[in-house]
Amino acid sequence: MSTGSSSNTGPTHKLVEAGVTLLIALFGVIVIIGSVKAGINWGAEGPRAGFFPFYIGLFILVSSAINLWNGLREDNDGLFAEWGQLRQVLSVVIPTAIYVSAIPFIGLYVASTIFIAWFMRWLGKYKWPVVLAISFGMPIVTYLIFERWFMVPLPKGPLEEWLGL
């Protein structure tokens, strides 16, 4: 599969496996720290709030250590992906992360309008009339279906509050 990159360089399987394993281990450490703060011993009424999460975090940390050990011992040091392929993945992941992060501040509808328009114009190369029709139409349809028909409130931002929606 051609991605426009002929460099044949990129991160190895070992490097990616180690990175993912260390991120999961970091999550385990965060769980353990939070559990210790909540209390991991037994109280008069039974286990305290951090008791079970502490052991889950410990399990995650030990499992990550085992995975890291096994991953580094393997001979599979082949190419995981070329840099051009990773750029393509990140061209979707980064805007999606920004979209999700923006929802609490500007609301689902405005964030979705921008997100849809961005992808249609940038990746899809659609003409502006189609981009505007769909990027504004889809959040309106979503509002009508969820908020009006099913009466399920979705995250709203300042614009929706101003409009009284």
Side-chain angles (χ1 to χ4, degrees):
M1 174 169 35
S2 176
T3 61
S5 172
S6 60
S7 64
N8 238 9
T9 63
T12 63
H13 275 280
K14 256 187 204 184
L15 178 66
V16 173
E17 286 182 25
V20 170
T21 301
L22 291 173
L23 281 174
I24 294 171
L26 176 64
F27 174 71
V29 168
I30 292 169
V31 169
I32 289 170
I33 291 170
S35 299
V36 169
K37 286 182 182 178
I40 60 171
N41 55 354
W42 284 75
E45 65 283 345
R48 299 200 42 201
F51 183 81
F52 292 110
F54 173 79
Y55 288 103
I56 298 296
L58 197 60
F59 178 76
I60 291 170
L61 192 59
V62 169
S63 299
S64 295
I66 293 168
N67 286 338
L68 183 62
W69 171 257
N70 288 334
L72 294 177
R73 285 184 332 146
E74 289 181 3
D75 289 336
N76 185 6
D77 209 21
L79 191 64
F80 175 75
E82 294 178 9
W83 292 116
Q85 294 169 324
L86 292 176
R87 268 192 296 280
Q88 286 182 326
V89 170
L90 290 177
S91 73
V92 173
V93 170
I94 291 172
T96 303
I98 292 169
Y99 165 69
V100 170
S101 301
I103 289 174
F105 302 102
I106 63 174
L108 178 75
Y109 303 112
V110 173
S112 295
T113 301
I114 296 167
F115 184 68
I116 293 167
W118 171 263
F119 271 101
M120 287 187 70
R121 186 68 183 159
W122 184 52
L123 290 179
K125 309 283 191 243
Y126 288 93
K127 296 189 184 299
W128 279 111
V130 175
V131 170
L132 293 174
I134 293 176
S135 65
F136 279 96
M138 200 58 217
I140 291 171
V141 169
T142 301
Y143 172 79
L144 293 173
I145 291 172
F146 285 98
E147 301 263 352
R148 293 295 180 199
W149 191 8
F150 291 129
M151 293 184 272
V152 175
L154 295 174
K156 294 179 188 62
L159 178 63
E160 294 89 356
E161 295 295 330
W162 180 72
L163 291 172
L165 300 176

